[in-house]
Amino acid sequence: MAFDPAALARPAMAIDPVHDGRHTLPDLPLMRESIPYCVVLPEHEIALFTYTWVDKDGMAGAAMGIWGRGLGRAPIAVRLPDRKVPDTMGFDDWRIDDFTMRQDLSFNRADVSWRSEEAEIAFTYEAFHPPYAYSTHKDGCPSYAADDRIEQSGRVSGTLRIGDRTIDFTGSGHRDHSWGRRDWDALHYYRWFQGQSGDAFSVHFWEFYALGRRQVRGYVYKDAVMAEIATLDVDWQGDSRLDQTAFQCDIIDELGRATRVEGDVFGVFPLPAAPNFVLNEGAARLTIDGNPGGGWMEMGWPISYLEHVREAGVY
C-alpha cells in the first residue's frame, strides 16, 4: 500500500521505499546501520524495545529491554553479541539467534519476535503514516548522526510473555532506521521523543546539542497530515539522578498547527551507547492535545556528566 501524497505537508517529504532495506555502508570509521522498534503499554505501565545494528564490516548484534512499574521486578535487558552476518541477509528476513525482524521493504509492515529465557516478544507493526526522513529537512541529517534517519509510527499487536505471565496487546508503537556515521561523542546532550494517541496522532522530535549548536528535527502527524516541526519548547522534571519523571512540550509545525504533549514517566531504562554516552529511555503515559496515549522521552547524556552531578548533587 502506498501512502496518500495528501498525507504530507510538502511533496518533497516523500522518500524512496528502497530505504526500508539494508544499505551498503562505505568503508569509513563509525559506519553503522540500526533499527529499533519501540512499544509502550500505558495501561500496564510496561515498555519494551528491540534494537538491532550492523556495521560496515557486517558485524551485527541486537538488544532487547523491558521495564516499567507494571513489570513488578527489575528491568529485563538482553544483548546478543556481535557476529559476522552475510552481506546477502536483508531486513526482509533478519535473523540473529532467536531474534527475527521481517520488514516488507515498503514502509508498511513488519513482524518482530524475540525468544529468550528471560522473556518472549512477538508482534506485528503496521504503519499508519508515511515515514519521516531527516534528509528532507532544510539542513538535512547531521553527518555525525547518520547519512539519513527515518522515523515512523504504527499500530502494533502481539504478545509479551514473562515467566507464566502473558500480556496480549494491541496499540501503537514506533520505529526508526538510520545508516551512516554514528559519533556519539560529537553530542553534548539530547532529547529524543516519540509518542502516539491511537492512530490519529503521532509526534516525533530529536532536539540535540552538538558542536555548540541546538538543532531540532521531527514532525507532527494529526488531521491525517504529517508536517515538520517549526518550533519546539520542552520543559521536564527529574529526580536527583537526572532521570526524567515528567515532561511538557509545545510544538508549532510548518502548517502553523499548535500541538501540546504532556507525559508522566513510569520507568527509565539506561541503554549504554558508547563508553561515555548513555541513552536514558523514559517510558510514559501521555496526552497529545488532551488525547491519551503512550510514548517515551529518551535523554542522551555523557556518562561522566551524570556521574559528576550524582556525586555533587543537583544544584
Side-chain angles (χ1 to χ4, degrees):
M1 178 190 74
F3 290 102
D4 184 350
L8 299 173
R10 288 176 286 111
M13 295 176 75
I15 57 173
D16 192 324
V18 69
H19 294 302
D20 200 22
R22 186 176 173 185
H23 295 75
T24 300
L25 301 174
D27 188 14
L28 295 170
L30 304 178
M31 287 288 166
R32 70 196 291 274
E33 186 162 17
S34 63
I35 301 176
Y37 279 83
C38 310
V39 178
V40 178
L41 310 177
E43 68 276 24
H44 297 285
E45 293 198 326
I46 293 174
L48 63 91
F49 68 83
T50 65
Y51 182 31
T52 189
W53 58 86
V54 59
D55 70 12
K56 65 181 178 61
D57 299 315
M59 298 297 292
M64 173 267 279
I66 307 170
W67 76 102
R69 276 195 296 259
L71 197 59
R73 51 157 290 174
I76 297 171
V78 182
R79 184 182 178 109
L80 302 177
D82 289 5
R83 81 290 309 279
K84 178 73 173 177
V85 299
D87 293 341
T88 54
M89 187 167 77
F91 295 144
D92 57 335
D93 193 11
W94 188 255
R95 300 169 180 265
I96 301 178
D97 294 343
D98 289 322
F99 165 68
T100 62
M101 180 184 73
R102 298 186 180 93
Q103 300 189 161
D104 68 356
L105 307 187
S106 62
F107 288 122
N108 280 297
R109 180 186 169 98
D111 295 293
V112 178
S113 67
W114 187 299
R115 292 186 294 113
S116 70
E117 293 181 2
E118 295 82 1
E120 295 187 13
I121 300 167
F123 62 87
T124 296
Y125 165 100
E126 295 180 296
F128 63 76
H129 67 72
Y132 169 76
Y134 282 26
S135 60
T136 63
H137 185 275
K138 64 182 179 60
D139 295 325
C141 185
S143 59
Y144 46 80
D147 291 342
D148 205 354
R149 182 181 181 92
I150 290 166
E151 305 275 353
Q152 187 182 37
S153 293
R155 306 174 193 89
V156 293
S157 60
T159 302
L160 168 64
R161 292 188 177 89
I162 305 168
D164 58 3
R165 182 182 182 185
T166 299
I167 298 174
D168 295 317
F169 59 86
T170 300
S172 54
H174 191 83
R175 65 179 176 181
D176 69 57
H177 180 179
S178 63
W179 60 94
R181 184 188 305 273
R182 177 64 58 84
D183 184 1
W184 295 104
D185 293 326
L187 294 155
H188 308 313
Y189 162 76
Y190 74 70
R191 290 186 281 247
W192 177 93
F193 172 78
Q194 59 87 8
Q196 308 83 36
S197 177
D199 58 7
F201 296 86
S202 172
V203 176
H204 158 71
F205 63 77
W206 190 34
E207 179 190 30
F208 54 103
Y209 297 76
L211 307 180
R213 297 179 58 207
R214 172 189 182 265
Q215 297 192 63
V216 174
R217 303 289 187 274
Y219 67 84
V220 172
Y221 175 80
K222 65 180 183 180
D223 305 324
V225 177
M226 184 173 73
E228 195 162 62
I229 290 174
T231 66
L232 169 70
D233 291 306
V234 179
D235 194 12
W236 69 284
Q237 295 76 48
D239 61 18
S240 61
R241 296 172 51 83
L242 289 188
D243 285 346
Q244 58 271 40
T245 58
F247 52 85
Q248 304 81 38
C249 313
D250 287 298
I251 300 165
I252 304 294
D253 64 36
E254 63 184 314
L255 297 179
R257 304 178 302 182
T259 302
R260 172 78 173 180
V261 178
E262 299 180 356
D264 291 310
V265 176
F266 58 75
V268 175
F269 181 101
L271 179 63
N276 192 41
F277 208 82
V278 65
L279 316 181
N280 283 342
E281 314 288 355
R285 293 176 177 267
L286 56 79
T287 60
I288 302 176
D289 290 345
N291 298 281
W296 74 52
M297 177 82 76
E298 173 188 277
M299 299 181 74
W301 298 95
I303 294 170
S304 57
Y305 182 81
L306 290 180
E307 290 175 345
H308 170 76
V309 170
R310 289 166 182 175
E311 180 179 347
V314 177
Y315 292 97

